[in-house]
Amino acid sequence: MTFDVTSIFILLTVVMALFIWGRWRFDIVAFAALMVATVLGLVPADEAFMGFGHPATVTVAAVLIISRALSNSGVVDMLTNAIQPATRTNFTHISAFSGLAALLSAMMNNVGALALMMPAAIQSALNAKRSPATILMPLSFASILGGLVTLIGTPPNIIIATYRADSGDGPFTMFDFTPVGGLVALAGIAFVASIGWRLIPKERRSAASSMDLFDIENYVAEMNVGEKSKVVGRSFQELEKDIEEIDAILIGLARGNRFVLAARRDEVLHAGDVLLVEAAPDAIGKVADALKLTLPGTPEDEEEKEEVEGEKAPREDRLRRQDMTLVEAVVAQDSPLIGQTPASMRMRRRFSVNLLAVSRQGRPYRGRLRSFRFQVGDVLLLQGESDRLPDIVQQLGGLPLAPRKLQGGSRRLALLTVGLFAGAVAAAAVGLIGLPVAFGIAALAMVAFGAVRPREIYESVDWPIIVLLGAMIPIGTAMETSGAAELLAEWLIHATFGAPAVVTLTLLMVLTMCLSDIMNNAATALVMAPISVSVAQALDVNPDPFLMAVAIAASCAFLTPIGHQNNALILGPGGYKFSDYWRMGLPLEVLILIVSIPALLFFWPL
């Protein structure tokens, strides 16, 4: 092997290992790999940043902005409201939501489609007296499957299409993926709706919602501030340290008809105030004793009767006073919370929000919240001012788990947004204009008509994915020019011992699926695309079925919660464990192989 081939193999091995390890973000790993490849001469210096202007990168960014417009316009909300009645049986419930998720994923980013549908799916499950775990995994898998149907459904399809264009055969068009991808999606949805959901462990299917798991009623207490209390004349900031030393959280105070969040650190406490404190049952008494506070119903309480009557209302309702509200939110993959603690994020001071509880994989965390380190999929119970909390959740990189309220005038905006999107697709489909430009114009028009606010443009784009694509595209090109892809293709063919090309095609799909289960699907497509073409050239067959096989397999990450963002997002709200995914995912991947191989050979003959 030459120096270039050896270098690219070592570099890719290190990159894949770091992707699997997951300690460093994949975009940082990819950009570091690009810099190393440039220094080693594997990528020419004047071509190092060509990936950031590549059609695949531009198209992905435009699709993400269009997805935000479809979200803002209320299109998804209208559709989910329309299928709410179809929840009488598990089959119709899962079929309706999974089918809609797949349809949306074919036309917008599949992560966005899941994020928009998840709140409605959870609410529908609770209304039908089913565990959210029954619906969320099928919903996630269906949204991934829907991305297989069109060019813009998922980044791997865009990558494969532009790679074909770069190789001189012209790009795959919008609906070239539909015959095979559509069959695979239909078969997959039929499986998850009829058989797949039954493979979810029974204890998960019988579990309560995350709000029930938080059980905050047993951990929140009202404490009356008397004349002799130690807290009189002290501010929240002074009191907070004493409270935390007893493993308790100061939520706020009620003063007459007002409720003041503890985030207002300079608020001074007076006699007659009622403090709201969250603590383990055995710590509530310690807080009262240490600060000379009285608990409702005790002899020391001067207004015992009134407070006892107040005990009839659930404690959770006391957290929703006037303009205060509670929100459940799941930590998304690009959240700034990941790896941080509430103390390091200074959540109260910076965001004026109370973190009341955390649930991970269906289990509430009852340790010290200040030292809890956030992960993707954690479910947070937040309290804050009603008008500000939605924006705060967005700043924290969380996805709210409650259905949104439709805004007035959404129907007109929805029709306009859908019309602009359909026009862009039609213009690209008939060859009037290139797809990246068509979507760029559509995104700009949606901003002009108010479907996306100017400040949301950059918020809409998943920048880690953009950096990943921009960095890995030149490395993928280096694999081809260095001869590394050709060498890997020879090894792959040798592994099949001269069997027919269809055997090599199947092995290529299996290998791609395995990679996608442990590393980002876009990175998988970028690595496997040049290998697939080299395999086809070595076998002297049509490379199109091999490229299509990589596109399908790169998106089929169903065995782990780390293979695809959608699987990570449902981990907390569904209360799943790491080992739950393969139970439904493994037979689903086998089914995809059984359906896709004959379909590929039929629609894209060797």
Side-chain angles (χ1 to χ4, degrees), residues 36-205:
V36 172
T38 305
V39 170
L40 294 177
L42 302 174
V43 174
D46 58 347
E47 298 178 7
F49 302 108
M50 57 171 277
F52 291 93
H54 196 272
T57 309
V58 175
T59 303
V60 169
V63 168
L64 291 171
I65 296 171
I66 291 171
S67 295
R68 172 62 72 92
L70 292 170
S71 166
N72 291 348
S73 67
V75 174
V76 179
D77 303 283
M78 294 174 186
L79 293 173
T80 52
N81 287 341
I83 64 170
Q84 286 291 351
T87 58
R88 292 186 178 181
T89 67
N90 277 324
F91 177 75
T92 58
H93 191 178
I94 295 172
S95 296
F97 274 86
S98 297
L100 179 56
L103 178 64
L104 291 172
S105 294
M107 296 299 159
M108 62 186 293
N109 176 260
N110 49 24
V111 179
L114 175 69
L116 291 171
M117 289 202 62
M118 189 161 57
I122 292 173
Q123 189 60 53
S124 70
L126 298 179
N127 293 343
K129 301 189 185 309
R130 298 187 181 102
S131 169
T134 305
I135 183 80
L136 287 182
M137 190 176 290
L139 185 72
S140 173
F141 286 5
S143 64
I144 296 172
L145 289 167
L148 304 175
V149 179
T150 65
L151 169 64
I152 63 171
T154 184
N157 287 6
I158 298 172
I159 291 166
I160 293 299
T162 52
Y163 183 84
R164 186 177 188 264
D166 292 341
S167 64
D169 294 327
F172 287 123
T173 59
M174 182 72 175
F175 299 106
D176 280 346
F177 297 86
T178 305
V180 180
L183 282 175
V184 170
L186 287 173
I189 292 169
F191 169 77
V192 299
S194 58
I195 299 173
W197 68 270
R198 303 174 193 272
L199 303 178
I200 300 171
K202 288 184 178 179
E203 56 267 31
R204 242 67 80 213
R205 286 189 276 134

Side-chain angles (χ1 to χ4, degrees), residues 224-232 271-272 290-293 302:
N224 299 320
V225 180
E227 295 285 350
K228 298 180 181 180
S229 173
K230 291 183 177 181
V231 305
V232 174
L291 302 177
K292 302 299 182 184
L293 302 169
E302 296 178 356

Side-chain angles (χ1 to χ4, degrees), residues 11 19 26-35 37-38 43 47-52 57 464-477 526:
L11 181 61
F19 280 155
F26 58 79
D27 53 324
I28 296 175
V29 172
F31 191 77
L34 175 61
M35 295 297 97
T38 305
V43 174
E47 298 178 7
F49 302 108
M50 57 171 277
F52 291 93
T57 309
I465 288 291
I466 299 301
V467 173
L468 172 73
L469 292 175
M472 290 297 292
I473 285 172
I475 294 176
T477 302
L526 286 165

Side-chain angles (χ1 to χ4, degrees), residues 6 15 26 149 187 191 241 258 264 295 359 442 470 572:
T6 303
V15 167
F26 58 79
V149 179
F191 169 77
K241 186 176 181 180
R258 288 181 62 213
R264 299 179 182 175
L295 296 169
S359 172

